[in-house]
Amino acid sequence: MSYTPISVVTFALITATIYRFLDARNSVNCIPGMRPLFAPMSLFGAAFGTQFWNPGLNWPWVWRKTAFFNHTHDVISIVPLISGGSSVCTCSMDVAKQILAAEGKTQLFKPKRIVAGLLLWGENIVAASGDQWRRHRRIVAPALTSKTYALVVEETIATYKEMIEGENWPTDDEDILVADFNRLPRKLALILIARCGFGLPMPWVDAPTDQNGLTFGKSLTIVTETVIPRLIIPSWLYKLPIKRFRTIKQAWSGLGSFMHTFVETRKEEQHGDTCSADENQRGDILSRLVAAMYTDEKLKLDEQEVIGNIFTLMFAGHETTAAVITATLGFLAIHEEEQEKVYAEISRVILPSNNPTLNDLQNLPYLLACFHESMRIYPAGVAIVRELTDDITIRIKRPTEETMVLRKGTLVSIDMIALHHNPITFPEPEKFKPSRWAEITEHDVSMFGFGARACIGRKFSHVEALCFLALFLRDWKITVPISAMETKREYEERVMGKAGMIGLAFGVGPVSLKLRRRK
Ligand code: HEM
Ligand SMILES: *[C@@H]1O[C@H](CO)[C@@H](O)[C@H](O)[C@H]1NC(C)=O
């Protein structure tokens, strides 16, 4: 018997694959879990989508009821057989807190390959690690102050009015059907972060366009929707004469010039002779970023980093909040009894002809509970991912109480869907039950992350969402366009059961709403 070259190569490949697999498995300490062909975040893993043999990007949602061995394991591992790195995932609140408590001590790391999509424009607060991150955080976080939140209220009211005028809904008693409602909160949230964080006068209708006819908002939407394909598809493909590719290319370069112009304009404002007082008056995120280009080494940002932060904050600041607003309205339209409770609360706190104040918004606990409950079901920040720069020891409870060492170099993913659909922490996780937030203190609301790197936009998002929801629900009674063929339960299962990435945030799929003017 002789060995052909082919069989030798095949044998070598199989051996190498087995060796690679065993090595990867050992590195995660033989923690049980999934052994798919491709890692969820690899090219093939993502391309094949979520199906029974391939987790793909959306497995935490599609498999949310049974993942983590039906939540009997606090920690699982994913070791791909063919391509992509292995990782460890947790569905336990307690384990998540233990891991992130190490953030201060061991400097967990955000791996470049995971945040690559956010680095395309430059280093920034969300993507950076270690001392780099500390510098970005020190510059950006203090820009959000009580003055910002007062402005958020003012601008949400103004934008709501512009929306009502701009949408031009009929004024009679008819039901108005709004298909794919999310486009409205998405536009609202973009306008708000643009106006309140960056001082940009972005209108609801007739926003200025660039030479390709794209508005800033349109470019940003196209860019966030194409970040992941762009990382995968080779750049020469975009030079082919295909219309879709040309639009994508124009959106990317258009967004770049928009952001460059914002920086230049603010630079002139800060360093021109005429209006130096404006800088102090504004004190928004953009002012702090641009001022950081001219400070001493320790807190300096270069122009690329300023642009990187603008992109990141524009995205983090709008797609997340918008997705949760839409989900909240979807649930309240289905659960009309909850909507009536919210309506009663709003009517009690805000006088009929008054605009809500910041203080009013702090007195709407039931509306806040509905917002939190929707965010629990669809956590917009879908995974908190870190690489360990040191071994850490954690205590787990399930399947048995024990300590577990996670090795240096391990990729850890805190699965926010699994965490917030874990029936041990949230009984009946599939049910929309705002009352479960009644006794929970703000500190224990976990959807904005934990510890030193928790969300800086939490209050921004609360103020904006509560203000918009209060205005909207005061004026409109909402229901869902349900057919006679379907029960509400089935409708909820079908429509609200669809979710996935919207741009770079996670959220509910298309939701249509029926609106009727309240008298
Ligand atoms: C519903 C709304 C939002 C949700 C669910 C959300 C969720 C999160 C989560 C889970 C993290 C932690 C990520 C990690 O540790 O890896 C985070 C970080 C962050 N969020 Fe939000 N966020 C929301 C709104 C906002 C808004 C409105 C802004 C900006 C105005 C914002 C800006 C940021 C920034 C800059 C970080 C990074 C902080 C750091 O690494 O130091 N977010 N967010
Ligand atoms: C999880 O529960 C489902 C039924 O709800 C069952 O069919 C399945 O076998 C369970 N899986 C494990 C790993 O226990």
Side-chain angles (χ1 to χ4, degrees), residues 76-344:
I76 61 166
S77 68
I78 302 180
V79 182
L81 301 173
I82 296 179
S83 80
S86 52
S87 56
V88 166
C89 310
T90 184
C91 67
S92 150
M93 190 80 80
D94 186 42
V95 170
K97 286 180 180 163
Q98 291 175 50
I99 292 170
L100 291 173
E103 192 122 53
K105 288 171 251 157
T106 49
Q107 297 203 347
L108 305 174
F109 191 80
K110 286 218 185 174
K112 290 276 184 257
R113 65 182 182 286
I114 302 294
V115 289
L118 284 178
L119 283 170
L120 293 167
W121 296 100
E123 190 62 78
N124 60 74
I125 176 173
V126 176
S129 297
D131 289 340
Q132 287 263 25
W133 162 73
R134 209 157 284 128
R135 179 167 54 94
H136 285 270
R137 178 111 181 176
R138 258 187 222 153
I139 296 165
V140 178
L144 299 166
T145 62
S146 54
K147 225 166 92 180
T148 318
Y149 307 128
L151 187 61
V152 172
V153 177
E154 196 182 300
E155 292 290 356
T156 305
I157 295 166
T159 311
Y160 175 71
K161 288 182 180 150
E162 286 172 54
M163 178 188 94
I164 295 298
E165 276 165 31
E167 292 305 301
N168 215 353
W169 288 321
T171 48
D172 48 29
D173 280 343
E174 302 260 308
D175 279 341
I176 301 155
L177 179 68
V178 185
D180 198 1
F181 189 86
N182 193 39
R183 105 195 130 74
L184 301 176
R186 214 175 169 182
K187 193 162 169 183
L188 167 96
L190 176 63
I191 288 177
L192 278 165
I193 184 72
R195 289 187 190 170
C196 305
F198 296 87
L200 306 170
M202 192 176 288
W204 186 270
V205 284
D206 297 332
T209 56
D210 63 9
Q211 72 274 21
N212 297 312
L214 293 171
T215 61
F216 174 75
K218 183 78 190 156
S219 307
L220 186 65
T221 302
I222 295 176
V223 167
T224 56
E225 280 168 356
T226 52
V227 162
I228 292 168
R230 179 113 181 172
L231 288 174
I232 296 172
I233 300 168
S235 59
W236 57 263
L237 256 178
Y238 289 92
K239 302 205 172 80
L240 299 179
I242 296 173
K243 181 146 184 283
R244 176 76 188 140
F245 282 173
R246 204 172 57 228
T247 315
I248 294 176
K249 212 169 150 247
Q250 285 169 351
W252 279 73
S253 65
L255 188 72
S257 355
F258 273 121
M259 292 193 290
H260 185 73
T261 316
F262 302 158
V263 176
E264 287 306 312
T265 315
R266 193 56 66 89
K267 257 203 245 170
E268 273 165 36
E269 222 180 87
Q270 285 184 6
H271 295 274
D273 313 321
T274 44
C275 39
S276 53
D278 261 22
E279 183 212 341
N280 295 330
Q281 250 171 27
R282 288 185 190 265
D284 59 10
I285 300 175
L286 186 57
S287 289
R288 282 189 65 92
L289 292 175
V290 171
M293 292 168 73
Y294 300 93
T295 51
D296 61 75
E297 275 311 310
K298 259 177 83 184
L299 282 181
K300 199 180 182 75
L301 291 183
D302 63 30
E303 174 145 355
Q304 209 51 53
E305 293 172 319
V306 171
I307 302 262
N309 277 305
I310 296 177
F311 174 74
T312 300
L313 287 159
M314 286 279 187
F315 131 71
H318 95 279
E319 291 188 333
T320 47
T321 312
V324 184
I325 290 178
T326 300
T328 310
L329 290 174
F331 281 126
L332 290 178
I334 294 170
H335 299 266
E336 289 179 70
E337 69 296 346
E338 300 288 358
Q339 188 184 157
E340 287 315 308
K341 275 194 216 169
V342 168
Y343 180 70

Side-chain angles (χ1 to χ4, degrees), residues 473-504:
L473 292 166
R474 183 167 73 166
D475 289 351
W476 306 92
K477 184 172 165 57
I478 52 176
T479 49
V480 284
I482 200 164
S483 73
M485 314 280 290
E486 214 172 16
T487 65
K488 266 199 182 168
R489 231 194 138 79
E490 288 163 346
Y491 180 91
E492 177 165 0
E493 180 94 30
R494 179 171 66 84
V495 175
M496 302 306 277
K498 281 197 205 99
M501 297 307 279
I502 308 171
L504 289 171

Side-chain angles (χ1 to χ4, degrees), residues 110 125 133 137 316-317 320 386 447-449 453 455-457 461:
K110 286 218 185 174
I125 176 173
W133 162 73
R137 178 111 181 176
T320 47
R386 299 289 191 274
M447 290 78 76
F448 290 97
R453 292 200 73 159
C455 185
I456 64 164
S461 157

